[in-house]
Structure formats: C-alpha cells, structure tokens
C-alpha cells in the first residue's frame, strides 16, 4: 500500500472510532499527567525544604573567636565556588539615634562582605550603614535614607531581615557599620550553598595566631540557625526520591494500554493481513493513528508542567519543564511501541481463532 493510502485509512479509523482514540487519549492523559505531577510535586517539596532551610539562615556558618579573626582571610572565603558571601564582625560601642537619644542602637563593625551574608547576596551593598528591619521600622527608615545619629549622620545602604526563628540573637535590632580596619574581629560568617566540609575546614583557618590561646577563648564553629536541622542534602533527596521512577512506570503502563487497545482489534488486523495488507503497512498505520492521541497527551502535559513551573522560582522554569517532559514523553513512546508491537504480533493464520473469540 502506498503511504497516502495508509494515511487515509488511519484517518478514517480515527474518525469512525475504530482505533478508540478518545478512550486511549483519556487514559494516557491520566497516566502522563499523573506520573508527571507526582514527580514535579515531589521535587517541589524538596525545593520548599531548601527554601525554608536557607530562609532560616541555616546555610550560614559562624566561626567565633573573640579578638581572634583575621578579616582578610575571612573575606577571601567568598572566592570559594559554593560561597555566596563571607565577612567578619565584631561588637562596637552602641550608637544613639537623634530621634531616640535615650535608646541605644547595638552596633557592629563589619567587613565589606559581611552585609551580604545577612542580605543573602554577594558584594558590597554600597556606602553607608546596614540596619535590621526592626530598627528600620522603629526609626521609619528605608534603603537610601539617611540615619540621623546624635553625633553623626550615615546613609542607609540596605535593610536586612532577621526574624526570631531560632537563629542566634543579637542582630534583630542592630546597625552594621562597614569598615576596612584590619584589626582582629570576633567572628567570621559564611553563607554557602550547598554546605561543604571543605569550606568548614577553610573557615577554621581564618583565626589569628592569638586565637585559642590562654588569653582568648577557644574558637567555635556553629550554625546560625539549627531549627531546620544541621544539614540538608538536597542533591541526595533529589537523587533518591521515590518518583524518580515515574517515567519508567509511565512507559510500562502506556505500553500496556497501547498493546491492549490494539490487541482488541486483532480480528480486523488479521483480516486485513488475509486480504493482502502487509505487516509493515499496518504497523505504519498504527503509528499514524497514535498521533491522534499523542497530541492531546502532549498538550495536557505541557499545560500541567507550565502551571507547576509558574508557581516556582523563575530560575527553575527550564529545569521544571524539562523534568516535566520525561513522564509524558515516556507515555507517548510506550503507547506507540505497545500499539506497534501488538499489531506486529497478530498472526493471519489465527484468523479463525480470533473470529471464534469474538
């Protein structure tokens, strides 16, 4: 048979319902979208855990050694590929706002990279002080405002959030004053994702020669907030998630559906074979008929993946769509292969048995 004739015959089978396109499409849409959403929502759950972990400051390591931190070594940690920001901090004398001269403002001298640790961004926020959200609200300040102190004025470079969610206290109502002073600091903070042992080891090396001596307390490496746990292996959770097998399961189920739906037409296929239609022509016809149900499967899966991607991070859209394409693609491949195999396994010599079974 010529390809044009095969295509017309396949189209007639779709239109008259012989190929059961509507039923197959409905079943495989459920299979494709079901397995797709199961995997995407599992990954979304992992992403939400990561977001909660990082939002709580659990990705910040604090190496404390009063008067024993070398600020230059601390700042150099920002060059590590997994480090977002790093900086040193020490307590400074309290300052007083002009509008509240009786209320002191806890003040910290910090290296230029330290504000980025609290802001969650790399780089220097710019000239001026950095204040906490509670302090900014109390004084009615926003970024780019000027803070009027009793003895000076200072532009506000940025405002950072520091909620009371289990993280170390002391910075919820405070002002950070960046300095390039190279005198020893009290602590080195590093925001890193993912957390690595190599950075923790490097962090232990930022102390001065006096750190840990009889005149200084022993250094201590801690986590800013342990309420979300001390470690979160996001890569491990992703790699071992139960739904990683969803595409394979979709392939197997769809192959079964495609095989069963085509096998129900074995009398028709055997009769065509008896009339001289070649196996290759029938397999080609099966592939063409599959396109009729593959289109709605692909469309439904694309819409569901787009809906999930729209509710996530903007930077994860491509990854979400790519992951969401696996189960639908496996479904289409499985259904097509199952139908083709069922067509090829029908035997003309069993025509009478097929007729009796019907």
């Amino acid at each position: 048979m010529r390809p044009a004739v095969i295509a017309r015959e396949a189209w007639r089978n779709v239109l008259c319902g012989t190929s059961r396109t509507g039923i197959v499409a409905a079943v495989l849409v459920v299979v494709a979208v079901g397995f797709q959403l199961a995997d995407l929502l599992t990954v979304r759950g992992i992403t939400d855990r990561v977001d909660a972990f990082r939002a709580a400051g659990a990705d910040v390591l604090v190496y404390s050694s009063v008067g024993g931190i070398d600020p230059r070594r601390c700042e150099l940690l920002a060059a590590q590929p997994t480090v977002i920001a790093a900086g040193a901090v020490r307590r400074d004398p309290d300052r007083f706002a002009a509008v509240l001269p009786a209320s002191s403002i806890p003040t910290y001298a910090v290296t230029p990279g330290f504000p980025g640790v609290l802001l969650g961004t790399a780089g220097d926020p710019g000239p001026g002080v950095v204040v906490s959200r509670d302090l900014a609200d109390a004084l009615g300040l926003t970024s780019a405002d000027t803070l009027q102190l009793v003895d000076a004025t200072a532009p506000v470079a940025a405002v950072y959030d520091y909620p009371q969610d289990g993280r170390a206290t002391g910075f919820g109502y405070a002002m950070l004053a960046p300095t390039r002073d190279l005198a020893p600091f009290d602590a080195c903070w590093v925001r890193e994702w993912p957390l690595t042992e190599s950075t923790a080891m490097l962090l232990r090396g930022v102390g001065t020669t006096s750190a840990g001596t009889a005149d200084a307390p022993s250094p201590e490496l801690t986590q800013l907030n342990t309420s979300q746990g001390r470690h979160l292996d996001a890569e491990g959770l992703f790699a071992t998630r139960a739904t990683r097998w969803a595409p394979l399961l979709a392939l197997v189920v769809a192959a079964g559906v495609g095989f069963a739906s085509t096998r129900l037409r074995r009398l028709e296929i055997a009769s065509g074979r008896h009339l001289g239609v070649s196996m290759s022509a029938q397999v080609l016809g099966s592939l063409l008929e599959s396109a009729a149900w593959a289109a709605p499967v692909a469309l439904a899966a694309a819409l569901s993946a787009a809906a999930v991607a729209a509710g996530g991070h903007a930077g994860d859209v491509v990854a979400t769509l790519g992951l969401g394409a696996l189960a639908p693609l496996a479904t289409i491949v499985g259904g097509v292969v199952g139908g083709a195999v069922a067509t090829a396994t029908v035997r003309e010599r069993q025509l009478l048995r097929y007729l009796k079974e019907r």
Side-chain angles (χ1 to χ4, degrees), residues 157-318:
V159 177
Y160 68 88
D161 292 306
Y162 203 87
Q164 297 179 355
D165 55 0
R167 65 186 71 196
T169 59
F171 292 86
Y173 185 89
M175 178 176 69
L176 311 179
T179 178
R180 296 191 180 276
D181 182 11
L182 298 180
F185 281 69
D186 296 337
C188 179
W189 290 29
V190 172
R191 182 179 288 272
E192 178 190 36
W193 187 256
L195 295 172
T196 62
E197 185 58 34
S198 60
T199 298
M201 292 178 62
L202 291 173
L203 190 54
R204 294 185 178 94
V206 301
T208 61
T209 56
S210 63
T213 64
D215 297 330
S218 298
E220 182 182 13
L221 178 61
T222 58
Q223 193 174 346
L224 181 62
N225 190 344
T226 59
S227 65
Q228 298 291 325
R230 294 188 176 277
H231 185 67
L232 179 62
D233 183 10
E235 293 182 359
L237 290 174
F238 178 81
T240 59
R241 71 193 190 281
T243 55
R244 67 188 184 278
W245 303 110
L248 179 59
L249 293 175
L251 177 70
V252 172
V253 173
V257 172
F259 186 90
S261 64
T262 303
R263 190 70 181 175
L264 291 174
R265 299 169 59 191
R266 57 189 178 277
L267 177 59
E268 171 198 341
I269 296 171
S271 298
R273 196 82 53 79
H274 183 69
L275 295 175
V277 180
S278 66
M279 179 191 299
S280 60
Q282 289 182 324
V283 170
L284 178 57
S286 173
L287 296 177
L288 293 175
E289 291 172 9
S290 298
W293 57 255
V297 168
L299 177 60
L303 292 176
S304 64
V308 175
H313 298 291
D316 294 339
V317 171
V318 174

Side-chain angles (χ1 to χ4, degrees), residues 15 24 31 48 83 89 154 192 201 254 256-257 259 267 274 326 352:
L15 290 180
V24 174
V31 172
D48 290 343
V83 173
V89 58
E192 178 190 36
M201 292 178 62
V257 172
F259 186 90
L267 177 59
H274 183 69
L326 296 180
L352 292 180

Side-chain angles (χ1 to χ4, degrees), residues 10-33:
W11 180 242
R12 292 193 191 98
N13 288 338
V14 171
L15 290 180
C16 68
T18 303
S19 61
R20 298 179 176 84
T21 301
I23 297 175
V24 174
V27 172
L28 293 186
V29 163
V30 173
V31 172
V33 174

